[in-house]
Amino acid sequence: MAVYLAKEKIEEIFAEYAGDAKNTGNTEGQIALFTYRIQELSEHLQRHRKDHSSRKALLSLVGQRRRHLAYLQKKNLTGYRELIAKLGIRK
């Protein structure tokens, strides 16, 4: 199952985490969007355990988020710490 988000939801996520709804290239906003999509796919996979294509998409999203988090940690450590605390990921 592909997670198709409404334009309003995407703008809401970027407005909250990136500072501006139109700033879709912002690393923090992209990580927040990945996190939202990961949560939605996780819920889907709990209901549909045999949906292997969605499982592969979930693993791909987790990898992308991990790479973005590593980039953010190198470039802006305080922003990284604030973001993971706000999103509730990583310990």
Side-chain angles (χ1 to χ4, degrees):
M1 172 197 142
V3 179
Y4 298 105
L5 299 175
K7 189 175 187 179
E8 294 81 22
K9 183 64 180 174
I10 293 172
E11 288 178 355
E12 174 188 328
I13 290 171
F14 277 103
E16 182 177 348
Y17 292 97
D20 182 24
K22 300 297 180 189
N23 190 5
T24 57
N26 186 285
T27 306
E28 289 92 345
Q30 288 182 2
I31 293 170
L33 184 63
F34 287 143
T35 302
Y36 177 78
R37 291 178 63 197
I38 287 169
Q39 290 169 350
E40 293 293 315
L41 269 176
S42 295
E43 292 173 10
H44 170 78
L45 286 170
Q46 287 176 355
R47 290 184 308 248
H48 306 283
R49 296 189 186 276
K50 294 185 177 182
D51 189 355
H52 298 296
S53 61
S54 290
R55 189 173 312 279
K56 182 174 180 182
L58 174 67
L59 291 174
S60 173
L61 284 173
V62 169
Q64 285 181 325
R65 182 179 71 178
R66 190 187 76 235
R67 288 189 297 272
H68 277 77
L69 282 168
Y71 170 80
L72 185 61
Q73 187 177 16
K74 281 193 299 187
K75 296 296 181 185
N76 183 2
L77 187 59
T78 57
Y80 166 79
R81 289 182 178 154
E82 291 172 4
L83 183 65
I84 62 172
K86 195 172 183 182
L87 290 174
I89 54 178
R90 301 234 178 139
K91 301 179 190 175

